[in-house]
Amino acid sequence: MIQFKKAALVIALTAGMISGAAQAATIDTLFAGGGTFKMGVFTPAPNAISGSTHNIIGAYNPPGWNVSTAQSSQAASSIASFNFNGGGTWVNTFTAAASSQAGVSGGGAAPSGTVNGASATIANGSAITVNLSSFFANWNGSDFNQGSAAATGTVSNVVGNSFDYVLDWSSLIVGGPFNNQTGTWHLTGTGTVAAAAPVPLPAAVWLLGSGLIGMVGVARRRKSGNTKAA
């Protein structure tokens, strides 16, 4: 009887481990609503960014991003844009595997990110981290790699799986007329996290649970046999 109780207790604990498996709060959508861009002496005042209806997570390698001439307005495929120092030419941003412009390095994987690390429970003030290594800016016909593998910020106004966010990062400009300058980005907007899926437990845990269930079966059969013998 004692052996049976011990086995039942361990099985209960194992079930608790399974039901309480860690979940990942993976970002499903991320929309840019606004923000600012700053670049040393070239932008005495931060340029105000206007957002678009594109999902940053899904707007990877969009058609039409690689323009060769100056743009006078926000490009249709742009994630976020701004009028550079009010001079009439616009900066349009996008995400792509690589720039096709000669001499400009950069590009990366499709954007992805998490809220609050590995926890599925998000709340106001939870940390947000986004891989924006593929983020580019285009100005006056030149592409500038302006991404970061770890853009960070926080979320607010959390309702269910939706939230508002602020995201900050800095990136060294490589190539073009602003080579070796640092662009500082502050992006704001809204997003959602996907329905979290339990992280699979190691096979050893499942084997342990199966073995314990077998132990309970044996214990029950022994108890039944002893009762009949009595």
Side-chain angles (χ1 to χ4, degrees), residues 128-147:
I128 180 174
T129 302
V130 183
N131 181 350
L132 284 176
S133 59
S134 60
F135 187 83
F136 274 80
N138 179 281
W139 174 78
N140 203 28
S142 294
D143 294 336
F144 303 89
N145 179 23
Q146 279 290 275

Side-chain angles (χ1 to χ4, degrees), residues 37-47 82 84-85 182 184:
F37 169 80
K38 186 78 169 63
M39 185 179 62
V41 297
F42 292 97
T43 54
N47 285 198
F82 59 90
F84 187 62
N85 284 341
T182 297
T184 302

Side-chain angles (χ1 to χ4, degrees), residues 23 46-47 55 57 79 86 97 123 130 146 159 161 169 189 194-195 202 207:
Q23 296 177 319
N47 285 198
N55 172 17
I57 301 297
I79 291 170
V130 183
Q146 279 290 275
V159 179
N161 69 333
W169 76 94
L207 290 173

Side-chain angles (χ1 to χ4, degrees), residues 5-110:
K5 288 183 176 180
K6 286 183 177 180
L9 175 61
V10 177
I11 288 175
L13 292 174
T14 303
M17 291 169 60
I18 294 170
S19 63
Q23 296 177 319
T26 303
I27 295 175
D28 191 32
T29 63
L30 203 65
F31 298 94
T36 59
F37 169 80
K38 186 78 169 63
M39 185 179 62
V41 297
F42 292 97
T43 54
N47 285 198
I49 295 173
S50 58
S52 72
T53 58
H54 294 295
N55 172 17
I56 297 175
I57 301 297
Y60 188 56
N61 290 329
W65 63 262
N66 192 36
V67 295
S68 58
T69 58
Q71 301 293 294
S72 58
S73 62
Q74 184 170 358
S77 60
S78 180
I79 291 170
S81 307
F82 59 90
N83 189 338
F84 187 62
N85 284 341
T89 55
W90 281 63
V91 173
N92 289 296
T93 65
F94 47 88
T95 55
S99 170
S100 60
Q101 182 168 303
V104 179
S105 63

Side-chain angles (χ1 to χ4, degrees), residues 148-224:
S148 169
T152 58
T154 56
V155 301
S156 60
N157 297 325
V158 175
V159 179
N161 69 333
S162 65
F163 55 85
D164 294 341
Y165 73 88
V166 295
L167 204 59
D168 295 280
W169 76 94
S170 295
S171 181
L172 182 69
I173 295 173
V174 179
F178 302 110
N179 186 46
N180 289 329
Q181 298 297 314
T182 297
T184 302
W185 299 81
H186 175 74
L187 208 60
T188 63
T190 62
T192 60
V193 291
V199 176
L201 291 173
V205 175
W206 294 106
L207 290 173
L208 173 63
S210 299
L212 290 171
I213 291 172
M215 287 173 58
V216 171
V218 171
R220 283 179 174 173
R221 286 194 296 272
R222 286 179 177 175
K223 181 181 178 182
S224 176

Side-chain angles (χ1 to χ4, degrees), residues 109-120:
S112 62
T114 59
V115 178
N116 207 24
S119 173

